[in-house]
Amino acid sequence: LKLLGGSRITLKTTCGLDDDDAISLMGRALFTRFLGDRHLLGSLGVDSRAVAELFDDAARAAKTSDWLDSTFNGDFLPTSNGIWERLPQGAFKVLGDIMRRAPGGQLRLGWEERWDNLDFAHIPVGVLSQAYEHYLHKHAPDRQRREGGFYTPRPIADLMVRGGLNAVARTTSAHTARILDPAAGAGVFLITAFRQLVAENWQASGRRPDTLELRRILYEQITGFDINEAALRFAALGLYLMSIELDAHPEPVRKLKFENLRGRVLLKMSGEEQDRSLGSLGSTVGDEHIGRYDLVVGNPPWATSTGLPGWNEAQAIIHRIAAERLSPDYPPPPIPNEALDLPFVWRAMEWAKPLGQIAFALHARLLFQQSHGMPAARRALFAALDVTGVINGVELRQTRVWPEIWAPFCILYARNQVPPQGAGCRFVSPRVERALNQAGVMRIDATN
């Protein structure tokens, strides 16, 4: 994370690049490094020394970049026109460090010795999502608070995706599920969902998915919305890398060509003023997404009092959904303090199929706040949605379960229907008991 963050800052501050170009250049070098560490470039007749030098100057970097575009197609981390001719030499040094040197160029390590002993054949692809959050936390904290760009640890994403798909399997085949993350960020839930869908497909068919099947799953079963261009570029890179990581036979490299993920898998839900956009809470989301998804999952922003223009539009949409779910006479549900996470739950009721599953990480004010209209908001939400499970994470904040998160949180699982008569939910409230943890055991107290 330090290496990635440092490279991005240097490209921006020292080399004068904007955020989008910095991400794309770094991503292209990382992708090439990934292919090299996984020994996927030997079939092209490129020896290890030549691979290490592919981004050392404008001519070689442009040639490598053109090869990436023609080989993998898709919207492969776009760059501004004439970028290679405009780059100062310092930028090529940063990209060269990614390819083969120790941080800061202090050591010139050969390709086989790897960049500061890092081997991208073993580094989890999801670290790219964490790198984006790491950058926001350190260099753009105001933007992070406004957009809610907090990284969700992979164990929590796994818990939510697997739990959601297990519930989907009760009514339909999990391996055919369509999954949406309406606030995708840098893609940790999308990458997790992709990996899990491949596993489900493998189990259902009895054979490992080949390249064509991996592409079909990616293009047809995974969708992510977000307002942030930088985050979507990280998500695209992560999905490209995961596609290759899951491929049992990724060679010859040319067969790995991708179609454009943008507008199909990854959808940007804003215009130029992305920092002040309603995003997927507004009317930008088309009717083609209504009732389309078997599982809507994610960690929507928890921010409050954002003062977003068009907030009345978001409220009107929520009031319409509530009237359809409950009755036209039901009081319009309040959204206390313009909190952003609750509207995502209401919108998910539209995007999920009837009886589809919803799994969201939310601020725990939903469960415990007793002021500013939250009791009425809670009653309306639980009257409109069949909540099947709640994990109360209040006692897990400021722990290694979810580093960097100080706010109390919860995880909500629900079936997309009005609760039937006699409906109930399972409430789990984990506690940190250090003596038991150190002994490697846990205690479960069950109550009726």
Side-chain angles (χ1 to χ4, degrees):
L1 293 179
K2 290 180 180 178
L3 292 169
L4 292 173
S7 297
R8 188 176 180 191
I9 292 301
T10 302
L11 288 172
K12 284 188 60 180
T13 58
T14 304
C15 303
L17 299 182
D18 62 24
D19 242 346
D20 293 341
D21 273 338
I23 291 169
S24 288
L25 296 188
M26 188 174 69
R28 285 170 179 259
L30 278 170
F31 191 83
T32 308
R33 171 68 190 273
F34 178 93
L35 296 175
D37 278 2
R38 290 172 188 250
H39 307 290
L40 297 178
L41 296 178
S43 61
L44 302 178
V46 180
D47 63 29
S48 60
R49 182 179 296 277
V51 171
E53 298 171 352
L54 288 177
F55 286 89
D56 275 5
D57 55 53
R60 279 180 285 189
K63 184 177 180 180
T64 303
S65 190
D66 289 342
W67 175 80
L68 289 171
D69 288 331
S70 63
T71 302
F72 298 100
N73 202 12
D75 182 25
F76 192 84
L77 301 171
T79 58
S80 57
N81 292 333
I83 184 68
W84 301 112
E85 292 74 16
R86 291 186 282 107
L87 280 183
Q89 187 57 37
F92 298 108
K93 180 179 179 300
V94 173
L95 301 179
D97 286 348
I98 291 175
M99 296 301 295
R100 69 175 183 278
R101 300 187 186 101
Q106 295 172 359
L107 301 174
R108 293 184 58 87
L109 300 181
W111 176 265
E112 293 300 323
E113 293 180 83
R114 304 180 180 92
W115 178 38
D116 198 28
N117 294 323
L118 298 182
D119 187 348
F120 277 75
H122 303 288
I123 293 177
V125 171
V127 78
L128 295 171
S129 302
Q130 193 172 359
Y132 176 68
E133 185 276 337
H134 182 78
Y135 168 80
L136 285 180
H137 179 71
K138 189 170 184 179
H139 300 285
D142 291 340
R143 184 176 185 176
Q144 183 182 50
R145 283 191 294 270
R146 186 167 61 249
E147 295 182 2
F150 291 96
Y151 172 72
T152 309
R154 177 177 165 179
I156 291 179
D158 283 347
L159 176 73
M160 294 171 63
V161 170
R162 290 180 180 179
L165 282 177
N166 284 341
V168 167
R170 296 172 189 155
T171 57
T172 188
S173 299
H175 74 281
T176 65
R178 285 180 169 149
I179 300 177
L180 167 69
D181 182 350
V188 63
F189 282 96
L190 300 180
I191 292 169
T192 300
F194 187 20
R195 185 191 304 111
Q196 191 61 30
L197 285 172
V198 171
E200 298 286 349
N201 183 288
W202 191 347
Q203 185 174 25
S205 67
R207 59 179 179 80
R208 183 169 183 166
D210 60 13
T211 304
L212 291 178
E213 186 64 12
L214 289 172
R215 293 294 183 277
R216 187 199 63 76
I217 294 171
L218 175 61
Y219 300 147
E220 298 179 7
Q221 295 184 243
I222 297 171
T223 304
F225 303 156
D226 207 83
I227 64 172
N228 190 287
E229 177 66 26
L232 289 172
R233 293 192 185 195
F234 268 107
L237 178 59
L239 289 171
Y240 287 142
L241 294 175
M242 182 54 67
S243 297
I244 298 174
E245 183 172 280
L246 293 172
D247 199 325
H249 303 288
E251 292 188 281
V253 171
R254 289 193 178 276
K255 79 168 186 172
L256 299 174
K257 181 167 287 192
F258 292 92
E259 296 179 19
N260 198 333
L261 300 186
R262 299 299 289 271
R264 182 174 183 179
V265 176
L266 300 172
L267 287 76
K268 187 176 180 181
M269 292 297 168
S270 69
E272 294 302 317
E273 299 297 325
Q274 63 182 31
D275 286 349
R276 306 297 296 161
S277 171
L278 282 176
S280 48
L281 294 181
S283 57
T284 311
V285 181
D287 291 344
E288 67 273 16
H289 297 284
I290 294 177
R292 175 180 174 85
Y293 300 99
D294 299 280
L295 172 61
V296 181
V297 63
N299 175 24
W302 303 349
T304 61
S305 303
T306 57
L308 291 175
W311 182 254
N312 290 338
E313 177 191 347
Q315 282 188 311
I317 293 173
I318 294 167
H319 294 169
R320 173 182 55 76
I321 296 171
E324 293 171 356
R325 302 283 292 208
L326 300 170
S327 78
D329 299 328
Y330 196 94
I335 304 297
N337 206 23
E338 295 186 5
L340 293 184
D341 51 349
L342 296 188
F344 275 94
V345 182
W346 284 101
R347 291 304 304 270
M349 299 181 204
E350 278 198 319
W351 300 323
K353 293 178 179 179
L355 301 180
Q357 300 296 318
I358 297 171
F360 276 150
L362 305 168
H363 195 290
R365 59 180 162 242
L366 170 64
L367 303 180
F368 304 115
Q369 184 174 318
Q370 300 299 325
S371 59
H372 299 97
M374 186 58 77
R378 183 164 50 243
R379 283 193 300 271
L381 190 64
F382 279 67
L385 189 62
D386 185 12
V387 176
T388 55
V390 176
I391 298 177
N392 169 25
V394 169
E395 295 201 39
L396 301 181
R397 59 178 174 162
Q398 303 176 42
T399 70
R400 293 172 64 185
V401 172
W402 198 333
E404 308 295 338
I405 288 293
W406 290 66
F409 69 92
C410 65
I411 299 175
L412 182 95
Y413 296 91
R415 184 181 296 111
N416 191 28
Q417 64 176 0
V418 174
Q421 188 170 2
C425 77
R426 182 162 295 176
F427 184 86
V428 179
S429 189
R431 296 187 61 189
V432 177
E433 299 194 9
R434 303 193 185 281
L436 294 181
N437 288 352
Q438 291 171 1
V441 297
M442 62 183 292
R443 185 181 77 194
I444 297 178
D445 298 326
T447 59
N448 293 325

